[in-house]
Amino acid sequence: MAQAFSRLGAFLLAATVFFAAPPVEAVNVQQIKSPGGVSAWLVQDKLNPIVAIRFAFRGGAALDPAGREGLARMAAALLDEGAGDMDAKAFRAALEDRSISLSFDSSFDEFSGSLQTLNEHRDKAAELLALALTRPRFDEGALARVRSQILARLRRDAESPDTVAQIRLFSEIFPDHPYGRRTRGTLDSVPSITAEDLRAFVRERLARDSLVIGVAGDISAAELSQMLDRMFGGLPEKSAPAAVPEVQPKIDARTLVARLKVPQSAILFAAPGLKRDDPDYYAATVLNYILGGSGFTSRLYEEVRDKRGLAYSAGTSLFPLRHSALILGSAATANARVKETVDVVRAEWRRMAGGGATADEIANAKTFLTGSFPLRLTTLGGIAGMLLGMQLENLGPDYIDRYKSLIEAVDAESVARVGRRLLDPARLLMVVAGEPEGLAPAD
């Protein structure tokens, strides 16, 4: 995970050269409402003639019907594979000829989309997005091709220690809940998804009452107001009733082993976490940075890699969901060194739970978290994504201005308290995928 964060940071820095956005202190969030009633948050930036739009519909793969797991992900893969009078080839050509970037995705809790375009093609981009959302074709050829691609990925996943461990971890933690299923679906469910299932998904799930939009770029409030109706005005007003139940993670101190013939094992671990609106979330952010979120300077990285050379990396991250929350962690090491790695992770977990953090650790965490925050806002896409996330999490339009003070308010007592609250050694579940030596699996 730490490597992924590093790659993201490098990407953001590189992208800055081409699509530089205003400095964080200049960000002004405008709240827009179109004549048709579509709302969005906007940061206007005239530096480049580009507009970036990020949007999401509340309710993601967790709403997939039983037996149709993977429905939302397949819909995301097919919405830009032909719409209206254009088949997949014509639709993709219409995008590529104008350098319009359009994509869709689905997580457990949201179905999301991304549109980026030059201003000179803004009207065409809006037309293509509207077509994809309201008149997708789901032609048999495109459906068969995408289904085949997903099935090939699922077969590869069955040989990946990381994915095998992830599947086992979530199925153990959420055994009777949609969070325990794969968003990508299964080898049984994906072949059963039909074009009619996909049309029903679009008809019932993509509606204005669940829509959230963030926009950044060279577009005025008046221009965006008109564009919003062209893009989203044709959607149904209301989505079909649907609900995902709240769920408490089922976690204990076991270490489970998923046998896989590989030379290196993947280790994933999880504990109950905090939802995004928990008052302790920012103290947990600092705590996580010190424990395993900081990459090269975290306690886990130092103990697992630097002192013992057990793994290339070891880290943790907060994983808030709409209806539950986790702290997730990972490491990978040779089969012969898995037990020692697991023991070190559990020892550091107990040390953090019982002793809190030092003043220097907390100060360093605050410096990094507040100093790196502007990097999220160095591209138009990053700003639009931030605006989207702020609305999804009900953080308020002044969140960008308040973030530094929220982190600065975290003190040693709050870090220690959250450590005691979250890092209960009796509630740290480990899953190892591979052929670990010396472990006595609990399963």
Side-chain angles (χ1 to χ4, degrees):
M1 283 182 288
Q3 290 175 334
F5 290 141
S6 296
R7 288 194 297 272
L8 175 60
F11 168 77
L12 290 175
L13 287 170
T16 304
V17 175
F18 300 98
F19 303 121
V24 63
E25 61 268 23
V27 172
N28 174 36
V29 179
Q30 302 179 63
Q31 300 182 59
I32 310 299
K33 190 166 188 176
S34 74
V38 180
S39 298
W41 287 9
L42 166 67
V43 169
Q44 187 174 5
D45 169 30
K46 298 181 178 181
L47 189 60
N48 291 297
I50 299 169
V51 174
I53 300 171
R54 303 290 183 267
F55 57 93
F57 299 89
R58 299 181 191 274
L63 292 175
D64 288 349
R68 294 292 189 274
E69 294 88 354
L71 175 62
R73 290 291 290 268
M74 186 177 287
L78 280 161
L79 284 187
D80 61 352
E81 292 282 349
D85 297 330
M86 291 179 281
D87 62 13
K89 185 176 180 180
F91 194 86
R92 298 305 307 178
L95 293 171
E96 292 170 8
D97 289 349
R98 299 167 178 83
S99 298
I100 298 170
S101 173
L102 174 63
S103 63
F104 301 91
D105 199 0
S106 180
S107 65
F108 278 129
D109 294 320
E110 284 95 26
F111 184 88
S112 59
S114 167
L115 176 69
Q116 186 154 315
T117 180
L118 296 167
N119 266 350
E120 63 183 291
H121 301 308
R122 206 164 63 197
D123 289 345
K124 188 64 177 181
E127 176 191 337
L128 293 170
L129 172 57
L131 280 175
L133 292 174
T134 60
R135 295 177 60 196
R137 292 166 63 104
F138 301 125
D139 290 336
E140 185 52 41
L143 177 55
R145 174 167 45 80
V146 169
R147 181 189 289 126
S148 177
Q149 292 168 349
I150 294 174
L151 290 172
R153 173 65 183 271
L154 291 172
R155 293 187 187 98
R156 289 200 304 273
D157 286 349
E159 300 176 356
S160 164
D162 290 328
T163 307
V164 169
Q166 179 184 338
I167 293 170
R168 180 65 182 276
L169 186 75
F170 275 78
S171 66
E172 290 286 337
I173 293 174
F174 302 114
D176 302 311
H177 191 275
Y179 289 161
R181 308 182 313 195
R182 295 200 67 190
T183 59
R184 187 171 283 115
T186 68
L187 292 173
D188 291 329
S189 68
V190 169
S192 71
I193 296 172
T194 67
E196 183 49 42
D197 292 328
L198 294 160
R199 293 187 186 98
F201 172 89
V202 170
R203 186 170 60 246
E204 297 173 0
R205 304 268 292 277
L206 306 187
R208 283 181 286 163
D209 67 338
S210 63
L211 177 62
V212 180
I213 307 165
V215 181
D218 185 14
I219 186 169
S220 69
E223 291 168 335
L224 176 59
S225 180
Q226 299 299 318
M227 189 178 179
L228 289 173
D229 280 344
R230 290 199 297 274
M231 293 187 292
F232 303 108
L235 291 169
E237 183 178 349
K238 293 186 178 298
S239 53
V244 174
E246 295 290 314
V247 60
Q248 293 296 320
K250 181 183 176 184
I251 292 179
D252 55 31
R254 291 179 297 164
T255 298
L256 307 177
V257 177
R259 294 291 173 186
L260 202 61
K261 289 186 176 180
V262 290
Q264 180 169 288
S265 294
I267 304 169
L268 296 187
F269 46 98
L274 298 178
K275 294 176 76 170
R276 192 61 182 80
D277 60 354
D278 193 292
D280 281 334
Y281 187 83
Y282 297 99
T285 299
V286 173
L287 174 87
N288 172 69
Y289 180 89
I290 297 167
L291 175 64
S294 62
F296 297 117
T297 60
S298 73
R299 289 189 180 186
L300 286 181
Y301 189 90
E302 181 178 355
E303 295 296 328
V304 171
R305 172 171 167 153
D306 282 357
K307 289 185 178 179
R308 297 171 177 83
L310 294 172
Y312 288 113
S313 65
T316 58
S317 60
L318 303 181
F319 194 67
L321 294 158
R322 193 71 55 206
H323 307 285
S324 193
L326 299 170
I327 300 176
L328 293 177
S330 67
T333 189
N335 289 327
R337 310 201 72 176
V338 170
K339 183 179 185 307
E340 185 179 358
T341 303
V342 168
D343 289 344
V344 170
V345 171
R346 288 196 182 278
E348 287 307 307
W349 203 267
R350 286 192 296 271
R351 185 163 75 95
M352 192 85 194
T358 67
D360 283 347
E361 287 177 320
I362 294 172
N364 290 338
K366 289 181 180 180
T367 298
F368 176 85
L369 291 169
T370 56
S372 63
F373 182 73
L375 289 178
R376 305 182 196 180
L377 307 172
T378 53
T379 67
L380 295 177
I383 296 173
M386 176 67 73
L387 297 177
L388 176 64
M390 288 159 56
Q391 294 173 85
L392 288 170
E393 303 299 343
N394 297 313
L395 299 176
D398 60 345
Y399 173 72
I400 295 173
D401 296 329
R402 291 188 296 111
Y403 178 81
K404 184 175 182 180
S405 63
L406 292 168
I407 293 296
E408 292 291 354
V410 175
D411 57 19
E413 192 283 326
S414 61
V415 172
R417 172 170 46 78
V418 172
R420 292 191 296 273
R421 177 183 174 189
L422 294 182
L423 305 182
D424 180 357
R427 302 199 70 190
L428 176 60
L429 178 65
M430 295 254 185
V431 171
V432 180
E435 291 189 309
E437 298 174 12
L439 275 182
D443 58 338

